[in-house]
Amino acid sequence: IVKVAEGVYSFPMLTDECCTMLLEEMESYTASGLPTSRPNSMNKYGLVLNEIGMEGIFDSLLQQVLLRISRVIFPREGGALDRHHSFVVEYAAGKDLGLDMHTDNSDVTFNVCLGREFTGSSLSFCGYMGQPSHRHLSYVYEHKVGRCVAHLGRRRHGADDIATGERVNLIIWCHNLAYRNSSGYSDLQHQRSYLKESAPPDPVCLSYTHDRDFLKYKEAS
């Protein structure tokens, strides 16, 4: 496990063969014509793996592998992982090109690239929700097939536009129910512990979906 930036970790998670098998399973289900749900409220293209008979596989992965990692790198938020929302997302021309800056509906997120060939489509990290550096760029992660990047759900991040090819990623949103029942989590969710920004936001960290002052700063840049 490599700490690539403050609060951002990376490690090899899946073999090439495993990535190919997951892609083939996704393609097979999509071709079946069976109903699919959007992965989340922002991504339009992908598949919820929990809904196609794979929830048990990821239950095991969560408890046998990911929990051991999260306890080490995120002992508070990741000290226990009780449930997950596992899905794949697709980026390509004619589909989603990128994803606006956002935070995840998770306590800990694991994000692993399954393929395919592509250029661009890096992952830009900014600061933590409610912190002075919330909208300041901190790190840009380049995806590699089979390699996972792990971060807290409250870390602002966004998928930069893909330039060529297609990228498919497996995302596992993990929830810690004890942490979610804590006063610290409640204060953050109800914006009782938000701190004033330390400086004007970096343009790359602005969100046209979530920031009421998006146009003010975007025009200034």
Side-chain angles (χ1 to χ4, degrees):
I1 300 175
V2 178
K3 183 178 182 180
V4 295
E6 191 282 320
V8 181
Y9 298 84
S10 179
F11 57 93
M13 179 169 160
L14 300 177
T15 64
D16 289 347
E17 292 77 11
C18 185
C19 291
T20 299
M21 289 175 64
L22 281 171
L23 288 172
E24 290 175 346
E25 187 67 23
M26 180 187 73
E27 292 169 350
S28 178
Y29 185 88
T30 302
S32 72
L34 292 169
T36 60
S37 302
R38 286 179 58 173
N40 53 63
S41 62
M42 298 184 71
N43 287 97
K44 297 179 182 178
Y45 298 91
L47 193 63
V48 180
L49 301 179
N50 289 16
E51 297 179 355
I52 65 168
M54 300 185 72
E55 185 172 9
I57 294 173
F58 288 97
D59 285 344
S60 297
L61 178 66
L62 184 74
Q63 296 303 321
Q64 297 179 23
V65 180
L66 300 183
L67 176 57
R68 297 181 183 183
I69 295 173
S70 70
R71 281 174 173 168
V72 174
I73 60 178
F74 302 121
R76 182 174 67 159
E77 296 87 345
L81 300 178
D82 304 290
R83 61 190 184 194
H84 63 89
H85 175 55
S86 299
F87 54 94
V88 291
V89 293
E90 300 175 75
Y91 297 95
K95 297 183 179 180
D96 290 327
L97 293 177
L99 195 63
D100 188 29
M101 280 289 162
H102 63 284
T103 55
D104 293 338
N105 181 17
S106 73
D107 300 315
V108 179
T109 293
F110 294 93
N111 180 344
V112 57
C113 182
L114 302 179
R116 310 177 194 266
E117 295 184 4
F118 60 90
T119 60
S121 204
S122 52
L123 190 62
S124 292
F125 285 96
C126 302
Y128 294 99
M129 182 170 64
Q131 294 300 304
S133 60
H134 180 207
R135 297 191 294 179
H136 296 162
L137 182 65
S138 59
Y139 182 70
V140 178
Y141 176 82
E142 301 293 342
H143 290 285
K144 295 181 180 179
V145 174
R147 196 165 186 89
C148 180
V149 58
H151 59 88
L152 294 179
R154 59 188 171 89
R155 183 72 172 265
R156 177 171 277 213
H157 59 288
D160 302 323
D161 284 357
I162 195 166
T164 64
E166 179 184 15
R167 175 168 70 84
V168 182
N169 275 53
L170 165 66
I171 315 289
I172 305 174
W173 284 354
C174 305
H175 300 147
N176 178 343
L177 298 183
Y179 169 66
R180 291 194 164 209
N181 285 326
S182 69
S183 59
Y185 178 84
S186 178
D187 288 345
L188 193 62
Q189 294 301 309
H190 292 90
Q191 300 186 12
R192 291 191 290 263
S193 60
Y194 271 45
L195 301 177
K196 183 179 179 180
E197 286 189 301
S198 57
D202 294 329
V204 69
C205 291
L206 291 171
S207 168
Y208 57 80
T209 305
H210 305 290
D211 294 344
R212 289 176 292 180
D213 56 2
F214 173 80
L215 290 178
K216 170 186 173 182
Y217 286 111
K218 198 65 176 178
E219 291 172 354
S221 64

